[in-house]
Amino acid sequence: MIIDAYDRLSAAVADAKAGRPLAPVTVVVPGHGVGRDVTAHLARTGGLANTHVRTLEQFVEHLARPALAPRAPLRYPLLEAAVQKALLDDPGVFADVADQSATAESLAHASWQLCALDVPCPEDANPLVDGVFRIHRRCIAAHAHRFHVQHEAYTAARERLGEAGAIVVFLPCEEDPAARLFLEHLRDRTVTVDVEDEAAPPGTLVVHASDSDDEIRAVTRLVRRHLSNGVPGHRIGVFYAAEDPYLVLLHEHFGRAGIGFHGPEHRSVGDRAAARSLLRLLQLDLDAMPRRALLAILAEQAVYWRDDRGGVLGVRLAELLTCHEMPIVAGDDWHKLTTVESASPLFRTAEQLRGLIHALRGDLAAVVGADTWSDVATGLTGLLGRYFRPTAGDPDDLAVLHHIATGLGDLDSIAPPPSPERIVGAVAVRVQAHRRTVGTGGAGVTVGPIPIGSGRSLDVSIVVGGAEGLLPFVRRDDPLLPDAVTGFGQSDRLEVQYRQFLRTVAAGRHHRVLTFPRGSLRGGGERVPSRWVLPTLDALTGIRVGTTSWAKDTDRCDHVVIVPSFDAATQNSDPRIGTGAASATEWRLRALAAVPASRRSGLLDDAVVERGMQMRSDRLWGRFTRFNGNLASAADLLGVFDEPIAPTSLEAWVTSPYVFFIRKILHAEHLEDPDEVIGIDPLTRGSLIHEILNRYVAERISGSDGGRTRLREIAEHELCKARAAAPGWLPQLWERDSAAIRHDLESWHDHDAEDRADGWAPIGTEIEFGGADRPVEFDIGAATLMFRGTVDRIDRHRQGRLRVTDYKTGGTGDYESLTADAPTAGRTRYQLPVYGVFARATADVDDPVEVRYWFITERYRFAAIGYTMTGDVFATVRDDLAFVHRAISAGQFPPRPGKRYCYTTNVIGRLGMQRWWQVLRDDPQLAEFAAVHADESEAM
């Protein structure tokens, strides 16, 4: 047992002091955690006075520092920079891949291992190994006057062992060949306190769960159980076989459970907003300055911009400006910001964005174009000071980045000259290596990899991830530095791992728990217990447990706990791992699971959960309530008809009331990303053709008729404007689409000429109505509806008749049922009758007005669909408008998704909306609306 080793350590220290309590003694321990335990044990048992407890690394540094001063230890980032320079100067066998970052990383890793060893290059070494030794020797020799390597520290420490006094080595477990050689050298002049690993006690409990997530939930319950039983947190340790996924899961579940712990942070500085933003800035194309990349950086909120007047650039306004008001992709598009008018509400945003682009280009160019690393350090420090601010939750990251930036100045004469790629690489390797610890050592549960627990003195030791493939971890032979060169092969590494595993398990005086997952969070296959866990299963069951039959062999063992699933573990507590829950959420789930679904309402004193349960129930059973579009309780707040409304808005409600609510009442719209719009979309195409025809027809009305030639001129002008406003359009797609538009316009001119020959002449184009001077009202009996809109065209026949035309560039399918008998196409179309009312009032005529949709493309053969506004038509339209008015005023916005693609629908969840509507459509309150769509397929 480990505790026996601690007792023997006390005796060894007492012997070393030889009756002199203040005699100096150094205790060399395998880790910082063990060092704390040794210090506490010696304080309780005597012998701590003038006893120095150090890890092997600390002990070597303590002895070697005076001998090697003023040279500093060579750090890995500096070594990698030196390797890059050596590859640049004389790549040798690595010439073909010298410019690849992976080459420098791999060589630096091999050189780092050689820094701890004094081994010659084998005489029969292959060219790769010989190249590694050549690069290594070159790097070390070039900087030997400023830095020393680990091997030199080991050598100096051995030479000064006589000055160290009495030395006790406690539980040695060397992790690398250099440490093993040094410990072997110490054995002749030190006292070693060790344990027989073969006699290590087995685990007292084994837990297996469906996956790693459920495994850590079970561990959380187990830790809470021990804490509630009075075990201090610092006497409990949880150690994982693999950092991924266990470190993140432990942070997540211990955090939710309120368990304080001490261990490594689950994210490095490089994984957080400030470092990510800095690296992204350094990788920006300064000439193009891509809008999407820039806004993504600003959205992280680590980078900000304050203008000369103290105003901070708003990311939302910048996105609105560059996506909607003035689409920008990159490069010359940024010059558009100078065209924003001063009266525009986004003028200030445009000024701020221009200032940011200009300043960033200059400051980043100074960094990535610097000639020396000292200039890079100065530029990065200025960049951090000018553009960066602390982020919520990570306030210290900015100080870390300042320290890293300042340190880059040390690379002069070590690394190759700076380049954009090398600067990014230098920053990246440093931020990824910087990982803090959370909690306070000696307070709270210890969390860390298995080596951290080796030799600890705890009451409860828990090892997680004990599945084959995770434990042991097998590393492949490195072709750049084979095991035969280092003298530390795969078998040696497995031996060290096994010893650390046994000592970590044995660290628990009273409870030794092993856990493993039966499956993977990433899917694929089943896991079996590790070969190192099987001896514990043998001991607990009293039989030989098979590798493949382990589940059957351990089924009835009281010391093997099965966690079937998250649901089962939540509803059925197991006293062996604790009857409590792993989090407050599990307590609530357990309370709900204890009663039938019909009795769960009101069970929890949690308004959010209650509303969630009610929402799920209403949608599942088809009840028309506030959770699926019934806003009757707030209908007086809607105000849809308080102002003039567009008839197309009423059509949008008929198509999908829920989407109407999202867009027209909540005003939640989607901003198209200019980078993703690679070709002209149907809406833009229609607007473009409308504008061309509007200009052409307006000139005709004013008396200037330039004919086909003028139509072509207007078309070319508008096409050029549209192309300039849409920088993301691909040239080949634009050529195709613009050619199709020109062809349709030529054909339109022919049809329009025929129309003119029949006696029709335009009297108005793009006529807006709905303002104070042009109200359009429709009396529906219960109310008077006010409308607004824009009529594409009004013509007068030589005989005096009026005709209203609405251009359509899409298909005829949704309009074919439109007739005088069905003027709203079954309560779905309201544009034409409203336009007809406006035209009649404007022209002050009594004759019926003709209204039509004109499909002005070759594809749809310039078809016209419409009717004449008679008294019967007015009566039908009045009734149909009353239907829409009643439903909207009553707050009815049921979740019918509509037949066509709709971004809003897809964000909400198209399939979910379809299911809601299928169960909701038979609700009596929606009978009138459901009848409108009764004949339509709901397959959608």
Side-chain angles (χ1 to χ4, degrees), residues 263-561:
E265 206 171 30
H266 64 293
R267 297 185 303 162
S268 69
V269 173
D271 297 324
R272 295 196 287 270
R276 276 200 309 269
S277 297
L278 177 60
L279 290 171
R280 287 178 176 177
L281 279 178
L282 294 175
Q283 296 175 80
L284 279 178
D285 182 337
L286 299 185
D287 292 328
M289 196 64 74
R291 177 202 56 83
R292 177 186 285 184
L294 181 62
L295 290 186
I297 293 170
L298 294 175
E300 295 258 36
Q301 297 187 348
V303 173
Y304 78 113
W305 175 250
R306 188 182 296 275
D307 61 21
D308 295 338
R309 290 179 284 178
V312 176
L313 172 65
V315 180
R316 185 184 66 82
L317 292 178
E319 187 170 15
L320 181 65
L321 172 65
T322 58
C323 288
H324 181 65
E325 298 294 331
M326 191 162 292
I328 290 174
V329 173
D332 293 339
D333 296 345
W334 291 110
H335 294 306
K336 296 178 183 178
L337 296 177
T338 61
T339 65
V340 179
E341 297 180 357
S342 58
S344 170
L346 294 174
F347 176 74
R348 179 80 179 276
T349 301
E351 280 191 322
Q352 291 173 328
L353 201 50
R354 282 165 44 206
L356 172 63
I357 299 296
H358 177 75
L360 260 183
R361 277 178 168 152
D363 292 339
L364 287 173
V367 174
V368 300
D371 296 325
T372 67
W373 286 100
S374 296
D375 291 340
V376 171
T378 301
L380 277 179
T381 303
L383 198 72
L384 291 168
R386 186 174 187 183
Y387 298 97
F388 282 72
R389 58 183 173 186
T391 54
D394 303 307
D396 300 329
D397 284 358
L398 201 52
V400 173
L401 292 179
H402 272 285
H403 176 74
I404 289 173
T406 304
L408 291 180
D410 296 337
L411 293 180
D412 284 326
S413 77
I414 295 178
S419 69
E421 295 77 14
R422 292 181 186 130
I423 293 170
V424 171
V427 174
V429 73
R430 285 160 175 78
V431 297
Q432 289 297 338
H434 198 285
R435 177 179 288 183
R436 299 184 289 253
T437 57
V438 298
T440 304
V445 176
T446 299
V447 168
I450 286 177
I452 296 296
S454 178
R456 292 293 309 272
S457 175
L458 303 168
D459 289 337
V460 181
S461 176
I462 304 173
V463 175
V464 302
E468 197 65 31
L470 299 175
L471 181 73
F473 172 76
V474 180
R475 196 193 75 176
R476 295 180 179 178
D477 197 7
D478 186 351
L480 295 180
L481 197 62
D483 293 342
V485 175
T486 63
F488 201 76
Q490 183 64 26
S491 60
D492 296 308
R493 283 189 288 271
L494 284 176
E495 180 185 349
V496 171
Q497 283 190 61
Y498 186 52
R499 192 182 310 159
Q500 291 172 337
F501 167 75
L502 291 177
R503 294 183 176 185
T504 299
V505 175
R509 177 187 295 190
H510 303 302
H511 301 278
R512 297 175 294 279
V513 182
L514 303 175
T515 72
F516 66 91
R518 301 187 299 273
S520 170
L521 286 172
R522 294 175 177 84
E526 295 183 356
R527 296 192 183 277
V528 298
S530 166
R531 69 194 82 165
W532 295 349
V533 175
L534 289 176
T536 289
L537 292 176
D538 294 344
L540 295 178
T541 60
I543 62 174
R544 184 63 177 268
V545 174
T547 303
T548 57
S549 61
W550 65 269
K552 178 181 177 182
D553 296 341
T554 62
D555 185 46
R556 298 182 180 277
C557 180
D558 289 339
H559 298 285
V560 177
V561 179

Side-chain angles (χ1 to χ4, degrees), residues 157-162 165-167 185-191:
R158 284 199 301 268
E159 293 173 353
R160 301 188 69 242
L161 281 175
I167 303 171
H185 185 82
L186 284 182
R187 281 194 174 91
D188 296 334
R189 57 182 72 191
T190 63
V191 176

Side-chain angles (χ1 to χ4, degrees), residues 39-76:
T39 300
H41 183 79
L42 292 177
R44 290 192 302 268
T45 60
L48 186 59
N50 209 19
T51 298
H52 304 282
V53 181
R54 294 188 173 101
T55 64
L56 181 62
E57 182 181 1
Q58 291 173 330
F59 178 60
V60 170
E61 182 183 1
H62 171 73
L63 291 177
R65 188 190 302 117
L68 298 175
R71 293 192 297 162
L74 180 65
R75 304 301 180 192
Y76 180 82

Side-chain angles (χ1 to χ4, degrees), residues 203-207 215-216 218-227 235-241 246 250 254 259 445-450 453 458-466 501 503-509 511-516 577:
T204 58
L205 186 71
V206 174
V207 180
E215 179 188 2
I216 299 305
V219 168
T220 304
R221 298 185 190 101
L222 184 61
V223 169
R224 289 178 65 116
R225 174 195 168 203
H226 286 300
L227 290 172
R235 299 291 299 167
I236 303 174
V238 180
F239 309 101
Y240 46 80
Y246 287 103
L250 285 166
F254 278 17
I259 297 175
V445 176
T446 299
V447 168
I450 286 177
L458 303 168
D459 289 337
V460 181
S461 176
I462 304 173
V463 175
V464 302
F501 167 75
R503 294 183 176 185
T504 299
V505 175
R509 177 187 295 190
H511 301 278
R512 297 175 294 279
V513 182
L514 303 175
T515 72
F516 66 91
I577 59 174

